Amino acid sequence: MANSTSANLKLTVQATGENSGTWGQITNTNLLILEQAIGGYSSVALNATTGATLTYSNGALSNGKDAVIKLTGTITGNVNVVIPDSVEKTYIIENATSGSFTVTVKTSSGTGVTWSATDKGKKMVYSDGTNVVDTAFTEVSSDYSPQLSGILDTNGNDIIIDNGGAVEDDSNNEYIKFAKTATAVNEITVTNAAASGTPNISATGDDTNIDLNLTAKGIGRVTFNGAGKIQQLAEKVTNSATAATGTVDYDVITQAVLNYTTDASGNWTLNIRGDASNSLDSIMDTGESITIAHLVSQGGTAYYNSAVTIDGSSVTPEWQGGSAPTGGNASSIDVYTYTVIKTGSATFTVLAAQTQFA
């Protein structure tokens, strides 16, 4: 019986009685081929336009049998690195070529794995005899529960988090959750600081002037702890072509200033509340205060705020100057300001003032 060749590594399979006097030499070559397949390394220079075909010589060392292959050379077009059909083998391949073109490692007649024009990285791939397949072992996504044994260094690259993805604690509770805006051009930048410096969270991006929103959930509020300072503040103003009369509901959740631009038509009761669904009592803690302003246009006949309620219950304000107003100011804008202090459950102190602007 004649010698044969193995399918994948092309080892010489010696038949009984064959190779008299050369058995040891053939066996040694086979062992070297096995060593090559387990730990061998080759640097393969690619042709600039056609790439390369890895060699699989029968019964001899050849570059297609190495465990690790480094692809080199300057390429001027998209190229292929070809593995013969029917070979089943695993490789670690590094694309160390120069030139912004793709490199595809494939079988002669099947499909393969492609490095993009800018991808000069490493991949672990295998040939199943028909196609070359990416194991994805070099990607974190291949590990369903990856754990680091050291600091994660992104090496200058970004981290991509899917829409709705989060950074979680060790009990899988969310620290920070991310939401995507299509075609986004603006973002936040977090900057640390040296000793005696101040860390900074800033709005950055392509636009010239960018607001920075801090949005509480539901009727929750944004709280600044510590002895902070605010350099600029813009308050929400509701401009309404409404004449003051009857009961005016002031919703503190949606505005800091309520501007009635139509002349008042009668005296009115101001009812201060959270909004139609939430009481002021429910959104304020004891020991908190809010200050609001109600601007009321006055015509030739002036009217005034004759009563104040909170969540529909009557309160008696402490008026600036010691007495409540008894009338409005004709042909002007009367500005009423109210500082509401919560002193207990459904218990408030209200400081109020009326000022004429004409």
Side-chain angles (χ1 to χ4, degrees):
M1 179 182 296
N3 294 339
S4 59
T5 302
S6 67
N8 296 315
L9 294 180
K10 306 303 181 184
L11 302 170
T12 299
V13 180
Q14 303 185 75
T16 302
E18 293 289 326
N19 310 317
S20 178
T22 61
W23 183 277
Q25 179 182 344
I26 294 173
T27 299
N28 287 342
T29 300
N30 282 341
L31 292 174
L32 291 174
I33 293 172
L34 291 175
E35 182 182 50
Q36 186 180 28
I38 295 170
Y41 167 87
S42 284
S43 178
V44 178
L46 304 189
N47 180 279
T49 57
T50 60
T53 297
L54 300 183
T55 57
Y56 279 82
S57 302
N58 291 342
L61 296 171
S62 46
N63 61 15
K65 300 173 184 179
D66 279 304
V68 180
I69 296 175
K70 182 176 183 179
L71 306 177
T72 64
T74 299
I75 55 176
T76 58
N78 299 331
V79 298
N80 294 329
V81 176
V82 179
I83 298 170
D85 291 340
S86 302
V87 170
E88 298 175 0
K89 190 179 180 307
T90 301
Y91 298 92
I92 297 173
I93 299 180
E94 178 184 0
N95 178 18
T97 60
S98 300
S100 296
F101 299 95
T102 65
V103 174
T104 299
V105 177
K106 61 184 292 295
T107 56
S108 299
S109 57
T111 60
V113 175
T114 298
W115 279 252
S116 70
T118 57
D119 183 0
K120 303 300 180 181
K122 306 174 184 69
K123 298 180 187 291
M124 179 179 285
V125 303
Y126 68 89
S127 171
D128 60 10
T130 303
N131 303 301
V132 174
V133 181
D134 192 345
T135 63
F137 287 165
T138 55
E139 300 176 3
V140 174
S141 60
S142 65
D143 188 339
Y144 291 100
S145 184
Q147 295 183 349
L148 302 178
S149 59
I151 295 173
L152 175 63
D153 185 346
T154 65
N155 196 30
N157 295 304
D158 295 333
I159 297 174
I160 297 176
I161 299 176
D162 290 340
N163 186 33
V167 177
E168 300 179 348
D169 65 18
D170 54 5
S171 296
N172 297 119
N173 301 311
E174 295 169 343
Y175 280 125
I176 304 173
K177 191 171 184 178
F178 299 86
K180 179 176 71 174
T181 298
T183 65
V185 297
N186 300 320
E187 68 287 321
I188 63 170
T189 295
V190 180
T191 306
N192 58 9
S196 302
T198 303
N200 189 57
I201 299 175
S202 56
T204 56
D206 293 353
D207 292 339
T208 301
N209 300 303
I210 309 169
D211 292 337
L212 180 62
N213 293 333
L214 299 176
T215 305
K217 182 178 179 181
I219 60 172
R221 289 171 297 193
V222 176
T223 301
F224 295 92
N225 293 319
K229 62 181 179 180
I230 299 176
Q231 292 186 231
Q232 295 181 17
L233 180 66
E235 295 183 315
K236 175 67 175 178
V237 178
T238 299
N239 295 307
S240 177
T242 302
T245 189
T247 297
V248 175
D249 288 318
Y250 196 114
D251 295 342
V252 302
I253 289 177
T254 57
Q255 64 221 342
V257 178
L258 177 58
N259 182 20
Y260 274 11
T261 60
T262 300
D263 293 344
S265 59
N267 295 338
W268 68 93
T269 296
L270 186 73
N271 180 46
I272 306 172
R273 63 186 188 178
D275 60 17
S277 303
N278 300 279
S279 66
L280 184 68
D281 186 56
S282 70
I283 68 169
M284 289 186 68
D285 294 330
T286 298
E288 290 184 338
S289 71
I290 61 168
T291 298
I292 59 174
H294 187 200
L295 283 60
V296 179
S297 292
Q298 301 281 10
T301 301
Y303 300 93
Y304 70 101
N305 175 207
S306 56
V308 176
T309 61
I310 294 179
D311 298 330
S313 297
S314 179
V315 295
T316 301
E318 305 291 337
W319 285 92
Q320 184 180 30
S323 59
T326 57
N329 298 285
S331 302
S332 65
I333 298 175
D334 285 344
V335 177
Y336 291 84
T337 58
Y338 308 86
T339 297
V340 181
I341 304 168
K342 183 172 178 178
T343 58
S345 176
T347 305
F348 302 90
T349 295
V350 180
L351 308 179
Q354 179 204 64
T355 304
Q356 178 187 12
F357 290 83

